[in-house]
Amino acid sequence: MCHTGAHKINNTIGQILLAERLGKTRIIAETGAGQHGVATATVCALRGIECIVYMGEVDIKRQAPNVARMKMLGAEVRPAKSGSRTLKDATNEAIRDWIDNPIDTHYIIGSVVGPHPYPDMVARFQAIISKEIRMQLKEQTGQEIPDHIIACVGGGSNAAGALYHFLNEDDVNFILVEAAGKGIDTDHSAATSVLGTHGVIHGSMTLLMQDEDGQIIEPYSISAGLDYPGIGPLHAHLIKTGRAEVHSATDAEALKAAFELTRTEGIIPALETAHAFAILNERKFENDDVVVINLSGRGDKDLATYISHLDRY
Amino acid sequence: MTNNKINRVFEDKNHKVLNIYFTAGYPNLNDTGTIIKKLASAKVDIIELGIPYSDPLADGLTIQESSQKALSNGISLSMVFDQVEEIKNDHKTAIVMMGYYNQFLQYGIDKLIKRIGDSGVDGLIIPDLPMDHYQTHYNSKFEEAGIAISFLITPETSDERIKEADRLTSGFLYVVAQSSITGGVKDVSDQQKKYFERIQNMSLKSPKLIGFGIHNKETFDNACQYAEGAIIGSAFIRNLKEHGTDRVNDFVDKIVNC
């Protein structure tokens, strides 16, 4: 687990160096769960650069510890008040800020989404995850190549990083887990690969949740980091070509998995990450399969949600 | 070069072109046709019809709110075409549609081209459509159909890219006056003057309209020193918000006759 509690710091370190190289003096970012916001605020504190993080009003309420962290790190957290007041709207506001301030400002996007070159660049910065998987796997099993890699997907940055150095390894099976929210058949879901169709969002051509007029449909998930109406174009490609298998986990399944991981391994995962673990209750593996699950974030930020469900698990 | 109503607007070199933007389906669902007819009789040269979108990235609060209102009124692109087609014989003013790429993509490009022709719409502005993507996928189709497409440039656009936008533009070059979303009110600075003069001196083939931040006679006249005309959007939306469709004529009069 990386410093700041998720994989997000891999990307923000790379991008802050890029921003300095470009001579930028002001950083903006969007955040859903606050993990990317904290990672951005952290590198800005480290390098002494002004930092403004856009966050949906709803997410500010449900991810209070991360809001406090960002403020302590010296960042300004600006609420996004349009639309569903979650990740998509925070992204809209960040893009509008960038249009207003193109000269001094660098926009650190937190996932493998947005206009080119962001999906490519963020995937490369996160690729360190799969590089480490190969090294650690070699040490532990004698082989670099696992049978399966499992990761949760909202925009898909942790998944892109976990898959990156295996993209050309045909023997590795990719398992992506989306947030089903209250269920794929309800109006409260974020399972983009099932509910989405081909379109353009935030400068990417990919799968997205939209109506027949191309209006974006507001996604829903208990986890603030997975309720994005699109999916990184790399993942859309892997899913559409059949290279990756895709599953979804509901809010309840993710909560159950979070408590199971906590009680069996002593690790409190982020709600986002818990979706990846939920798949272990559903999908069967062979006894000798080598399965890698990307534990992308820890759950300190989600304690309030977990505590409110403590009596049920 | 296509020869539609937009191109004809620019034939009279001494006349300064006024382009007024408004959001279709706003303030009420069926105001679209009324507003078009009123703008046409007020002698507006080009009517820019905004197609409401859930996520209008280039737009400031005024246009965002009008889009939200129009969507909750129940507007859709298909309905806008119906509204425009219904009154197409009642006026002779050029109409350009402004929307986001995904709206047109979902509608279907072939269907879009057909309905543009049927309804008497003359051109398109799609701020998030990349130029190279347009060239590869749509340029020849649009040219064949005589649809005037207008690309945007900003103070940060490189000369090389400006030339590319000029080459692909068949309507007018949309000169974004300042680095901002719509409705911005940054000061008209020396820097902006230099930018306008740089564009003027590039001997581009396309007529130029300046937009973003143009909101009254003073800013309109100032912009017209550097271009064939200018575009007013958010200020007109605010007028519609306050007075409905009643004071369209007054608003236009204050810009062009004083």
Side-chain angles (χ1 to χ4, degrees):
Chain A
M1 185 76 65
C2 294
H3 178 48
T4 71
H7 63 292
K8 295 290 186 184
I9 193 94
N10 295 329
N11 170 46
T12 58
I13 288 175
Q15 287 207 44
I16 198 77
L17 294 172
L18 175 74
E20 287 186 327
R21 174 84 181 238
L22 291 167
K24 306 287 182 176
T25 55
R26 180 175 176 272
I27 296 294
I28 55 170
E30 86 296 337
T31 198
Q35 294 299 84
H36 173 59
V38 169
T40 304
T42 299
V43 295
C44 286
L46 183 69
R47 307 304 296 178
I49 299 179
E50 183 189 359
C51 179
I52 291 145
V53 179
Y54 288 91
M55 189 169 187
E57 223 172 24
V58 169
D59 293 340
I60 287 178
K61 287 205 182 95
R62 59 178 167 171
Q63 301 283 298
N66 274 345
V67 175
R69 268 185 206 110
M70 284 184 269
K71 287 182 178 165
M72 187 171 170
L73 286 159
E76 180 191 339
V77 180
R78 285 192 192 164
K81 297 178 177 176
S82 59
S84 58
R85 293 168 291 139
T86 60
L87 180 54
K88 163 183 83 89
D89 312 289
T91 308
N92 289 347
E93 288 309 318
I95 291 174
R96 288 187 184 117
D97 182 308
W98 206 20
I99 293 172
D100 273 343
N101 300 285
I103 297 171
D104 64 348
T105 299
H106 177 67
Y107 177 20
I108 301 189
I109 292 187
S111 193
V112 287
V113 300
H116 175 75
Y118 280 105
D120 184 16
M121 178 167 67
V122 177
R124 284 170 200 256
F125 287 138
Q126 293 295 357
I128 184 77
I129 298 171
S130 45
K131 201 171 173 183
E132 285 188 16
I133 290 173
R134 290 186 84 121
M135 284 171 58
Q136 290 185 25
L137 212 55
K138 181 99 195 255
E139 283 168 20
Q140 291 180 27
T141 68
Q143 65 178 71
E144 281 187 25
I145 308 296
D147 296 304
H148 305 274
I149 301 175
I150 306 175
C152 65
V153 182
S157 65
N158 90 79
L163 306 181
Y164 196 88
H165 289 290
F166 300 105
L167 284 171
N168 296 323
E169 307 279 4
D170 292 340
D171 294 339
V172 182
N173 184 42
F174 301 155
I175 301 174
L176 306 176
V177 187
E178 295 181 317
K182 292 179 180 169
I184 285 177
D185 300 333
T186 69
D187 289 336
H188 295 83
S189 181
T192 306
S193 75
V194 181
L195 302 170
T197 50
H198 177 256
V200 174
I201 180 171
H202 296 140
S204 275
M205 188 170 273
T206 185
L207 292 169
L208 65 123
M209 290 166 57
Q210 57 185 331
D211 67 15
E212 58 178 19
D213 291 326
Q215 309 288 350
I216 311 287
I217 292 173
E218 311 286 1
Y220 163 82
S221 164
I222 194 173
S223 79
L226 297 182
D227 64 351
Y228 184 68
I231 183 171
L234 166 68
H235 300 302
H237 177 74
L238 293 174
I239 292 166
K240 278 288 165 193
T241 56
R243 177 67 185 89
E245 64 175 81
V246 62
H247 297 258
S248 64
T250 62
D251 292 353
E253 288 163 345
L255 282 167
K256 181 165 175 266
F259 278 90
E260 280 172 359
L261 185 70
T262 304
R263 305 242 164 101
T264 55
E265 298 285 338
I267 298 169
I268 302 175
L271 264 170
E272 290 74 22
T273 306
H275 285 73
F277 282 87
I279 213 62
L280 296 179
N281 290 320
E282 181 190 311
R283 195 189 183 287
K284 297 283 169 277
F285 297 93
E286 300 298 323
N287 278 340
D288 57 350
D289 275 355
V290 175
V291 180
V292 174
I293 301 190
N294 196 26
L295 211 166
S296 55
R298 67 169 190 239
D300 311 37
K301 68 185 180 63
D302 297 311
L303 271 186
T305 305
Y306 289 146
I307 289 167
S308 71
H309 291 85
L310 207 50
D311 54 346
R312 272 185 250 171
Y313 296 96
Chain B
M1 180 66 76
T2 54
N3 182 28
N4 62 24
K5 296 200 289 293
I6 292 176
N7 303 128
R8 288 201 290 276
V9 162
F10 295 102
E11 281 167 7
D12 175 3
K13 300 285 178 203
N14 295 315
H15 173 72
K16 290 303 178 188
V17 172
L18 173 62
N19 173 330
I20 296 267
Y21 169 101
F22 79 99
T23 306
Y26 179 84
N28 299 302
L29 182 63
N30 293 315
D31 284 342
T32 313
T34 310
I35 297 170
I36 289 176
K37 285 194 279 185
K38 288 195 177 194
L39 287 171
S41 68
K43 299 273 188 282
V44 164
D45 302 291
I46 299 175
I47 296 167
E48 187 177 328
L49 200 50
I51 311 302
Y53 193 48
S54 57
D55 295 77
L57 286 179
D59 288 307
L61 262 186
T62 304
I63 295 179
Q64 283 177 43
E65 283 171 8
S66 67
S67 298
Q68 272 309 315
K69 177 78 184 355
L71 286 172
S72 60
N73 288 344
I75 199 75
S76 66
L77 178 53
S78 173
M79 212 180 288
V80 178
F81 276 125
D82 292 343
Q83 292 173 338
V84 175
E85 191 164 352
E86 200 182 309
I87 53 138
K88 75 170 177 180
N89 296 321
D90 298 347
H91 71 95
K92 294 192 167 85
T93 306
I95 295 181
V96 56
M97 273 187 169
M98 185 276 185
Y100 289 85
Y101 180 31
N102 195 50
Q103 300 177 275
F104 299 125
L105 191 64
Q106 300 313 319
Y107 193 73
I109 300 299
D110 291 333
K111 192 168 139 201
L112 175 74
I113 290 172
K114 183 175 183 311
R115 290 225 67 186
I116 284 175
D118 292 347
S119 60
V121 169
D122 303 280
L124 287 172
I125 300 169
I126 312 173
D128 62 340
L129 174 63
M131 287 190 287
D132 57 345
H133 192 76
Y134 169 75
Q135 177 154 20
T136 311
H137 297 280
Y138 307 124
N139 192 12
S140 57
K141 277 188 177 182
F142 280 27
E143 249 174 34
E144 195 183 321
I147 296 168
I149 187 128
S150 297
F151 283 100
L152 291 84
I153 60 170
T154 79
E156 298 308 306
T157 310
S158 67
D159 283 2
E160 188 189 355
R161 211 172 147 77
I162 290 171
K163 284 176 190 157
E164 185 66 5
D166 181 48
R167 185 176 72 77
L168 289 171
T169 287
S170 51
F172 54 85
L173 201 59
Y174 196 133
V175 180
V176 177
Q178 55 198 12
S179 294
S180 80
I181 50 179
T182 56
V185 281
K186 294 182 177 173
D187 284 339
V188 180
S189 59
D190 287 350
Q191 216 177 347
Q192 192 180 46
K193 194 169 167 242
K194 275 185 197 147
Y195 157 60
F196 290 155
E197 284 169 356
R198 175 165 69 91
I199 307 301
Q200 250 184 332
N201 293 332
M202 281 182 75
S203 53
L204 304 170
K205 71 164 176 62
S206 313
K208 300 171 291 295
L209 295 183
I210 294 177
F212 285 45
I214 314 298
H215 58 278
N216 55 18
K217 180 169 175 59
E218 187 194 345
T219 46
F220 177 75
D221 287 346
N222 181 60
C224 286
Q225 292 174 43
Y226 305 100
E228 281 79 353
I231 303 165
I232 298 178
S234 299
F236 183 64
I237 301 284
R238 282 192 290 273
N239 186 278
L240 289 175
K241 187 179 177 182
E242 215 170 307
H243 306 293
T245 59
D246 289 344
R247 303 226 185 136
V248 172
N249 211 51
D250 293 353
F251 183 89
V252 177
D253 266 358
K254 277 183 193 149
I255 308 291
V256 286
N257 309 314
C258 258

